[in-house]
């Protein structure tokens, strides 16, 4: 059974930093991209960042570019998201996901595997 389990979400003050982690089990995703999405209350789930299978290529939403960094460790089957200079607008449930395609994509419908999410709350 494939599982993606996120961790690291918590309450943080604006301007602070936070690191999220996602551990995959049940199969290895070393040949697939991995990504983070987020969903704020009352809003749709949106793309945050993605990383290629090798880690050589990354993609970020404009809203987080320059503040967030995605990385992965294929030996541990994990993907991480370091978030700096957080603002209240970053408040959301953050999900890690793996697509069924081998290329980086920001389209949620291409993602077959999802974690249960971890809550990030940024106070002003």
């Amino acid at each position: 059974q494939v599982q993606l389990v996120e961790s690291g979400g918590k309450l943080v003050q604006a301007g602070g930093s936070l690191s999220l982690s996602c551990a995959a089990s049940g199969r290895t995703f070393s040949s697939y991209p991995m990504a983070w999405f987020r969903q704020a209350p009352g809003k749709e789930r949106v793309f945050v960042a993605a990383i290629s299978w090798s880690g050589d290529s990354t993609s970020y939403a404009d809203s987080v570019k320059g503040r967030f960094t995605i990385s992965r460790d294929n030996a541990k089957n994990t993907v991480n998201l370091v978030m700096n200079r957080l603002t209240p607008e970053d408040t959301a449930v953050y999900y890690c996901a793996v697509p069924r395609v081998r290329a980086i994509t920001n389209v949620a419908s291409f993602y077959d595997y999802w974690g249960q999410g971890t809550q990030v709350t940024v106070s002003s």
Side-chain angles (χ1 to χ4, degrees), residues 2-6 22 35-38 45-47 94-98 107-117:
V2 175
Q3 276 194 313
L4 299 174
V5 179
E6 303 94 337
C22 173
W36 288 92
F37 286 74
R38 68 186 181 187
R45 190 172 301 187
V46 297
F47 172 78
Y94 283 71
Y95 299 89
C96 71
V98 180
V107 180
S109 61
F110 282 112
Y111 286 78
D112 281 349
Y113 299 102
W114 295 87
Q116 83 290 345

Side-chain angles (χ1 to χ4, degrees), residues 6 9 20 36-41 43-46 48 81 83 89-96 114-121:
E6 303 94 337
L20 305 182
W36 288 92
F37 286 74
R38 68 186 181 187
Q39 186 168 19
K43 296 187 177 181
E44 292 185 352
R45 190 172 301 187
V46 297
V48 174
L81 186 69
M83 306 183 292
E89 288 68 37
D90 295 315
T91 294
V93 177
Y94 283 71
Y95 299 89
C96 71
W114 295 87
Q116 83 290 345
T118 186
Q119 176 70 49
V120 173
T121 303

Side-chain angles (χ1 to χ4, degrees), residues 5 8 24 51 54 56 62 77 82 84 91 96 120-121:
V5 179
I51 187 167
S54 65
D56 290 344
D62 287 343
N77 223 14
V82 174
N84 296 316
T91 294
C96 71
V120 173
T121 303

Side-chain angles (χ1 to χ4, degrees), residues 38-104:
R38 68 186 181 187
Q39 186 168 19
K43 296 187 177 181
E44 292 185 352
R45 190 172 301 187
V46 297
F47 172 78
V48 174
I51 187 167
S52 63
W53 69 270
S54 65
D56 290 344
S57 181
T58 57
S59 177
Y60 295 93
D62 287 343
S63 59
V64 307
K65 203 171 292 184
R67 299 188 299 123
F68 290 12
T69 302
I70 188 171
S71 63
R72 67 187 296 163
D73 185 334
N74 286 338
K76 297 180 179 179
N77 223 14
T78 59
V79 61
N80 303 297
L81 186 69
V82 174
M83 306 183 292
N84 296 316
R85 303 197 308 276
L86 286 161
T87 73
E89 288 68 37
D90 295 315
T91 294
V93 177
Y94 283 71
Y95 299 89
C96 71
V98 180
R100 61 181 175 272
V101 297
R102 300 295 181 101
I104 286 180

